[in-house]
Amino acid sequence: MAGRGGCRRGREQLELERLGEAARAGSCPPSPPLSACSRQAWSRDNPGFEPEEEEAAAAAGPVLEMDVEWGSPAAGASSSLGSGAAGQGGGGRRQRRLPAGRGGAEAPSRPPVPPEGAAPRRAAWAKRLARRLRGLWGTRLMEESNTSREQYLKSVLRELVTYMIFLVVLCVLTYGTVSSSMYYYTRVMSQLFLETPVSKMEKTDFKTLSTMDDFWKFTEGPLLDGLYWEMWYNNKTMAENKSFIYYENLLLGVPRIRQLKVRNGSCSIPEDLKDEIKDCYDVYSVANEDTAPFGLRNGTAWTYTNEKDLNGSSHWGLIATYSGAGYYQDLSRTREVTAVQIASLKKNLWLDRGTRAAFIDFSVYNANINLFCVVRLLVEFPATGGLVTSWQFQPVRLIHYISTLDFFLAACEMAFCLFVLYYMVEEILEIHIHRLHYFRSLWNCLDILIIVLSVVAIGISIYRTSTVDMLLKKLLEDQNSFPNFEPLAYWQMQFNNITAVTVFFVWIKLFKFVNFNRTMSQLSTTMSRCVKDVIGFAIMFFIIFLAYAQLAYLVFGTQIDDFSTFQDCIFTQFRIILGDFNFTEVEEANRILGPIYFTTFVFFMFFILLNMFLAIINDTYSEVKSDMAQQKAEMELSDLIRKGYNKAMIKLKLKKTTVDDISESLRQGGGKLNFDELRQDLKGKGHTDAEIEAIFTKYDQDGDQELTEHEHQQMRDDLEKEREDLDLDRSSLPRPLSSRSFPRSLDDSEEDEDEDSGHSSRRRGSSSSGVSYEEFQVLMRRVDRMEHSIGSIVSKIDAVIVKLEAMERAKLKRRDVLGRLLDGVTEDERLGRDNEIHREQMERLVREELERWESDDTASQMSHRLGTPLGLNGQPRSRNSRPSSSQSDGIDGAGGNGGNNIHV
């Protein structure tokens, strides 16, 4: 033994010296012996492997631990020498245990050799930093495939909390820029300019203008009265050269009136009417726009100015879309001068037959609520004659960061920008990991859309803030100029639209997280299952719907405003489905087709197609609900939150477990506790009788209805062991690699659809670590269905066996009867009895037997109507068939008496 120990120590010393020289030389050590290689390979593949030699060395006496490091500069990695089994894991640093005092000598030791350069350490530090930074973006799509269900839900919960903070910041930011003051501001300004009559004798207002004369009456009356408030109600003069509308709203700069014209001869006149009609003005278009001077031919009101010089933009009216160019007149800051300007325009026929649109633009500012109001009044002159009015009052907050609330909103803006940057990095990482499979999920596409909309909104906000500063500076330099806030109003409107859509999609994305609850996931599962049926129904629905829309447009389009365009027809028919419709107008437009159209449309669309749609949704929801009831319960977000809450309450000693309650009761009982005391104490703490009785029965080993200290300790040990086993089992359960809508539904057809949509490729990605949780659930469902089918088959086989046994008993009974009949015939022949009387008796017995067979056959046929009863030879038998005498003889062989036939 001493010699063997000395050889081993000598071999170990040689290996240490060789490895130390290799480390000093900066090169890899030579290949170890075959046994060491095998042990190292086994240790790398099995981190939990513990060699027997190391255990023996540890048991022999004190040990000496040495750290040896070596590395390859080219590879930039480090390795280490382990014990006989190459250490505890596949890391770069291992320990070598040398037994001391074995064989009477102590093994020599060498000091550890430090690495030559700090580059490996810097690389490791950089990797750790990158790993920690990447941990900030830890989502479900960036997790390992073998993550347990609890860890998976923890990641979901962290993602949900982050997203909720983002949602709160976005809501505070959007709702902080909108207030009820904006509505009241718009309301009072619209009442002043839209609902004021043109004169005291007439009820015509801006909304009901019908002729050019009405337009001039409006500009000379309500427009001047609304723009210039120079006197108080007690006839005292206000500030000079300043107008405060409603005494609160400062008129910025001067108003502007602008018109667009089309040139004469822009349309064709029929040859037969050229002598009667000399002039022709087409509908408005940029190609037909008139750019020539007219009238006085001096000043901007009579000469054309292009859109670039006016810094204007196009406007979408009720009849056409108009450019930002035209003939314009800037009014004055005083009422008297403005009245003279309007009178001059009216006198020189500024509006004529070629006029197609007239714009009135001005802006006001209210310092009380820090709001601008950009006003545009539009009067369109269609080619048919008359005029159509429209208006736009756009309140905007262009000056920011004044009050305390503004600075708080500024902080929210910064937080919102950080969140957008955070989610941009997150989506880039997920795209880098999953490539094109990332875009196969609807939620991922929604994430990209939200980020894009957020970036666009940030860009518009920056542009608006920078532009308003330049406009205000220009306005302060020349207060007699027109402040063109119309582009800002346009971008403010676009900003509001983008913000509204972004907030809408951000709220919709919450379904991505609530789907982890079984009840909440019913909506998304129902919609995903019925999507094919809904698409087929939608095709049929819109075929009929568009046919009715075309019919209504052609029949009622010339007489009813709701059917004046094809788009209006579509919206009107949706209103009919909802019950908002004026039947009298349709009936007056066409007394025959009107009622037929209305009646058939309501019948087919409302009573048939709409109810078919509801039936599709209802049936699918019932299927989903039944499948959810059969689905095996699994850990959900609510369970994780409840578990964390209970742990926190227990750690804070605000809540006790059942074992702690029993321990306290046992201490109060002096080491023993009977069942009545335990029950009374635990029921007072909220535990049920079943739990108390089950615990007491299991651990009351001696049956004396008392728990001793030893029995209580055994109960505590068992519960702790069971808790550890459950935690280990839960941590070992795999989960789907990157499912975005976990858990999934139970239908196999949906699994096939998911494979078509790319989810199967992500599920297959986790095959290297075993069967995924989703695949396991699919297999479980298929096994359950197979067991159900096999059970049905087994029950049918049992019924066939029972029937065959009954037929066998009947066969034996009939054979016995026929045997007795044959014995009777033989006895009569031997004794010489009267054959005629005996034949009558035999005929009666055979008839009775045949009737009994027929009744048994009928009963069997009635009890098995769905199947064809089998005869004794395995062939189908008719309902009223009777076996012939030869068949009867063939069945029983005449009881073994030579196969004699019986003839009746």
Side-chain angles (χ1 to χ4, degrees):
M1 295 292 294
R4 189 182 300 115
C7 292
R8 178 178 298 174
R9 287 194 300 274
R11 185 168 62 252
E12 292 172 349
Q13 182 177 355
L14 290 175
E15 291 181 4
L16 283 173
E17 292 176 356
R18 183 175 60 205
L19 294 173
E21 293 174 358
R24 288 190 296 273
S27 60
C28 294
S31 301
L34 182 61
S35 61
C37 291
S38 62
R39 288 195 299 269
Q40 289 177 5
W42 176 255
S43 176
R44 285 193 302 269
D45 297 336
N46 301 274
F49 171 71
E50 294 289 345
E52 296 180 358
E53 293 182 8
E54 184 173 342
E55 294 176 358
V63 296
L64 178 62
E65 297 184 359
M66 295 183 61
D67 292 344
V68 181
E69 296 184 358
W70 69 93
S72 174
S78 61
S79 305
S80 60
L81 176 65
S83 60
Q88 293 294 327
R93 183 177 181 89
R94 303 185 184 181
Q95 294 180 350
R96 176 70 176 180
R97 292 175 176 261
L98 300 179
R102 189 172 182 179
E106 183 175 343
S109 62
R110 289 181 181 272
V113 180
E116 287 191 0
R121 284 198 297 269
R122 287 197 299 268
W125 179 83
K127 289 183 178 179
R128 287 196 300 269
L129 179 61
R131 191 183 308 112
R132 291 179 180 178
L133 290 176
R134 185 173 177 177
L136 296 175
W137 286 272
T139 61
R140 289 165 291 166
L141 287 182
M142 292 186 286
E143 292 180 353
E144 299 294 335
S145 59
N146 58 352
T147 308
S148 65
R149 173 69 174 173
E150 183 174 355
Q151 293 295 329
Y152 179 71
L153 290 179
K154 286 182 179 179
S155 177
V156 173
L157 183 60
R158 181 179 61 179
E159 190 177 354
L160 174 60
V161 171
T162 305
Y163 188 77
M164 289 300 298
I165 297 175
F166 169 70
L167 178 60
V168 170
V169 170
L170 180 59
C171 290
V172 170
L173 188 60
T174 53
Y175 296 139
T177 57
V178 179
S179 64
S180 58
S181 300
M182 291 185 173
Y183 166 73
Y184 292 115
Y185 198 14
T186 305
R187 179 182 174 183
V188 296
M189 296 298 293
S190 61
Q191 286 178 346
L192 177 62
F193 290 98
L194 302 182
E195 300 179 7
T196 303
V198 295
S199 65
K200 295 181 180 180
M201 305 299 296
E202 300 181 34
K203 296 182 179 180
T204 304
D205 54 19
F206 182 81
K207 295 180 180 179
T208 58
L209 299 180
S210 59
T211 63
M212 288 186 180
D213 185 47
D214 292 338
F215 172 79
W216 290 116
K217 289 180 180 179
F218 169 78
T219 56
E220 292 174 340
L223 180 62
L224 291 179
D225 294 339
L227 288 176
Y228 301 100
W229 292 56
E230 299 175 349
M231 303 290 292
W232 283 93
Y233 54 85
N234 60 355
N235 295 327
K236 286 188 177 181
T237 306
M238 297 179 61
E240 185 178 359
N241 292 333
K242 290 184 180 179
S243 174
F244 285 90
I245 301 175
Y246 281 117
Y247 311 112
E248 302 291 347
N249 305 282
L250 174 65
L251 178 64
L252 299 176
V254 296
R256 170 176 289 179
I257 182 170
R258 176 172 63 95
Q259 73 158 325
L260 287 170
K261 299 164 60 72
V262 295
R263 64 180 180 271
N264 188 12
S266 55
C267 54
S268 300
I269 302 175
E271 294 291 338
D272 298 339
L273 299 177
K274 281 187 176 181
D275 295 336
E276 302 293 334
I277 302 175
K278 302 298 182 180
D279 301 325
C280 180
Y281 298 89
D282 200 358
V283 296
Y284 176 82
S285 67
V286 177
N288 296 331
E289 192 170 324
D290 188 6
T291 60
F294 74 103
L296 300 181
R297 297 178 180 270
N298 59 353
T300 58
W302 309 98
T303 58
Y304 182 83
T305 307
N306 58 38
E307 183 174 325
K308 183 178 180 180
D309 294 337
L310 283 176
N311 193 23
S313 59
S314 60
H315 181 87
W316 186 16
L318 297 179
I319 299 177
T321 300
Y322 304 97
S323 68
Y327 306 86
Y328 73 94
Q329 174 67 55
D330 287 341
L331 304 179
S332 175
R333 294 178 59 85
T334 61
R335 179 188 178 96
E336 292 76 10
V337 177
T338 301
V340 171
Q341 291 174 332
I342 293 176
S344 175
L345 294 176
K346 179 180 179 182
K347 178 180 179 181
N348 293 282
L349 202 63
W350 189 64
L351 298 181
D352 56 13
R353 290 184 57 190
T355 303
R356 289 292 174 261
F359 297 86
I360 301 174
D361 297 308
F362 59 92
S363 301
V364 295
Y365 173 72
N366 190 312
N368 301 331
I369 54 179
N370 188 25
L371 284 178
F372 290 80
C373 186
V374 182
V375 181
R376 166 164 285 183
L377 305 178
L378 173 61
V379 179
E380 299 177 74
F381 300 88
T384 58
L387 55 85
V388 179
T389 59
S390 59
W391 52 88
Q392 179 178 305
F393 294 86
Q394 186 64 40
V396 291
R397 191 184 302 274
L398 300 178
I399 302 177
H400 298 278
Y401 318 126
I402 296 178
S403 63
T404 305
L405 178 62
D406 293 337
F407 288 105
F408 173 72
L409 294 177
C412 291
E413 290 176 354
M414 297 176 61
F416 176 76
C417 294
L418 293 176
F419 269 111
V420 171
L421 181 62
Y422 171 84
Y423 282 116
M424 287 178 64
V425 175
E426 177 183 305
E427 301 306 320
I428 291 173
L429 292 176
E430 292 180 356
I431 293 174
H432 176 73
I433 294 174
H434 297 280
R435 306 295 179 181
L436 294 179
H437 293 290
Y438 172 87
F439 297 97
R440 296 187 178 181
S441 173
L442 180 62
W443 296 118
N444 295 341
C445 298
L446 184 61
D447 292 339
I448 297 296
L449 179 60
I450 291 174
I451 291 175
V452 171
L453 292 176
S454 301
V455 172
V456 172
I458 292 173
I460 293 176
S461 179
I462 294 174
Y463 168 77
R464 181 189 58 189
T465 304
S466 60
T467 305
V468 71
D469 293 336
M470 294 186 297
L471 283 176
L472 291 178
K473 183 178 179 181
K474 182 179 179 181
L475 177 63
L476 292 176
E477 292 176 354
D478 185 8
Q479 298 185 3
N480 292 321
S481 63
F482 170 72
N484 190 7
F485 287 98
E486 192 274 332
L488 285 178
Y490 169 79
W491 286 113
Q492 178 65 34
M493 184 181 299
Q494 303 307 317
F495 176 81
N496 293 339
N497 296 336
I498 293 175
T499 304
V501 173
T502 304
V503 173
F504 171 78
F505 283 129
V506 167
W507 276 101
I508 291 297
K509 190 183 171 183
L510 281 180
F511 281 103
K512 168 185 173 182
F513 301 101
V514 301
N515 280 341
F516 288 91
N517 184 277
R518 289 168 61 93
T519 304
M520 297 297 181
S521 63
Q522 291 181 5
L523 173 61
S524 60
T525 307
T526 301
M527 297 305 297
S528 62
R529 282 199 187 183
C530 68
V531 62
K532 289 184 177 180
D533 295 333
V534 170
I535 290 175
F537 166 80
I539 294 174
M540 176 178 58
F541 175 85
F542 280 107
I543 288 175
I544 302 177
F545 189 85
L546 294 177
Y548 273 103
Q550 191 71 31
L551 171 66
Y553 176 63
L554 296 176
V555 175
F556 313 116
T558 60
Q559 304 179 50
I560 303 177
D561 180 61
D562 292 337
F563 297 95
S564 58
T565 63
F566 187 72
Q567 296 84 351
D568 290 340
C569 290
I570 293 176
F571 293 126
T572 302
Q573 289 188 160
F574 278 116
R575 290 169 51 197
I576 293 175
I577 295 176
L578 298 177
D580 180 17
F581 186 68
N582 189 353
F583 174 73
T584 305
E585 291 183 349
V586 174
E587 186 179 20
E588 291 176 353
N590 195 310
R591 294 186 178 183
I592 298 176
L593 292 179
I596 294 176
Y597 160 80
F598 180 79
T599 305
T600 56
F601 179 82
V602 170
F603 177 77
F604 284 109
M605 304 302 296
F606 186 79
F607 291 105
I608 296 180
L609 293 180
L610 186 60
N611 284 283
M612 284 178 61
F613 174 75
L614 296 177
I616 292 173
I617 301 296
N618 204 12
D619 292 345
T620 308
Y621 178 76
S622 301
E623 294 176 3
V624 170
K625 196 170 183 179
S626 62
D627 289 344
M628 289 288 184
Q630 297 175 4
Q631 186 179 6
K632 186 178 180 180
E634 54 190 11
M635 192 175 188
E636 299 180 357
L637 278 177
S638 58
D639 301 327
L640 181 64
I641 297 174
R642 192 181 302 109
K643 180 181 177 181
Y645 172 76
N646 292 333
K647 285 184 178 180
M649 296 297 289
I650 292 173
K651 287 184 179 180
L652 295 174
K653 296 182 180 181
L654 299 177
K655 184 178 180 181
K656 296 181 180 180
T657 62
T658 307
V659 178
D660 295 334
D661 292 337
I662 295 176
S663 301
E664 183 179 354
S665 301
L666 194 62
R667 286 194 301 269
Q668 293 177 358
K672 287 187 177 182
L673 188 66
N674 58 34
F675 179 73
D676 294 334
E677 294 175 354
L678 176 68
R679 180 177 180 180
Q680 183 178 1
D681 193 8
L682 293 184
K683 284 194 69 175
K685 295 177 180 178
H687 301 285
T688 62
D689 292 336
E691 295 176 349
I692 301 170
E693 187 174 354
I695 293 175
F696 201 93
T697 304
K698 182 177 181 180
Y699 294 101
D700 186 18
Q701 299 177 356
D702 51 8
D704 58 352
Q705 295 294 312
E706 291 184 352
L707 285 181
T708 62
E709 187 70 32
H710 175 71
E711 293 170 346
H712 173 259
Q713 185 62 35
Q714 182 180 0
M715 178 183 62
R716 178 181 286 276
D717 294 341
D718 291 345
L719 290 178
E720 291 296 334
K721 182 179 179 182
E722 186 175 349
R723 183 184 302 169
E724 293 175 359
D725 293 341
L726 289 175
D727 293 339
L728 181 61
D729 293 340
R730 187 182 299 112
S731 63
S732 63
L733 284 176
R735 68 160 188 87
L737 176 62
S738 59
S739 175
R740 299 289 284 190
S741 56
F742 189 91
R744 300 180 57 222
S745 60
L746 306 175
D747 196 82
D748 286 340
S749 62
E750 186 182 355
E751 294 159 11
D752 297 337
E753 294 172 5
D754 288 343
E755 290 179 0
D756 295 339
S757 63
H759 291 291
S760 61
S761 60
R762 292 197 289 265
R763 291 200 301 268
R764 287 194 295 269
S766 62
S767 60
S768 60
S769 62
V771 180
S772 68
Y773 182 81
E774 187 172 352
E775 292 172 341
F776 177 73
Q777 290 294 327
V778 172
L779 293 176
M780 285 280 292
R781 293 193 294 273
R782 291 180 178 175
V783 169
D784 292 339
R785 293 176 182 176
M786 188 180 297
E787 289 179 353
H788 178 73
S789 302
I790 292 175
S792 177
I793 295 172
V794 169
S795 63
K796 293 179 180 178
I797 292 175
D798 292 338
V800 171
I801 291 175
V802 171
K803 186 175 180 180
L804 290 176
E805 290 177 353
M807 294 173 64
E808 185 66 24
R809 288 195 298 270
K811 174 182 175 182
L812 294 176
K813 182 177 179 181
R814 290 161 185 163
R815 180 180 295 175
D816 183 53
V817 171
L818 293 176
R820 289 201 304 271
L821 291 175
L822 185 58
D823 292 340
V825 172
T826 305
E827 183 69 18
D828 290 342
E829 290 178 353
R830 186 176 62 81
L831 297 177
R833 295 179 181 174
D834 189 1
N835 292 334
E836 190 67 29
I837 298 174
H838 189 65
R839 278 184 181 178
E840 292 178 358
Q841 295 176 353
M842 289 182 58
E843 183 178 355
R844 179 172 54 80
L845 292 174
V846 171
R847 287 180 184 277
E848 292 176 355
E849 187 65 22
L850 291 176
E851 290 175 358
R852 189 179 299 113
W853 290 3
E854 183 177 359
S855 62
D856 292 344
D857 246 356
T858 303
S860 178
Q861 296 260 351
M862 291 295 293
S863 61
H864 301 85
R865 288 183 178 180
L866 298 178
T868 303
L870 301 176
L872 295 178
N873 56 355
Q875 298 295 328
R877 185 174 50 177
S878 63
R879 185 181 184 89
N880 297 321
S881 62
R882 295 182 180 181
S884 63
S885 58
S886 60
Q887 290 174 340
S888 301
D889 182 63
I891 290 172
D892 51 32
N897 291 322
N900 296 326
N901 294 334
I902 300 175
H903 300 281
V904 180

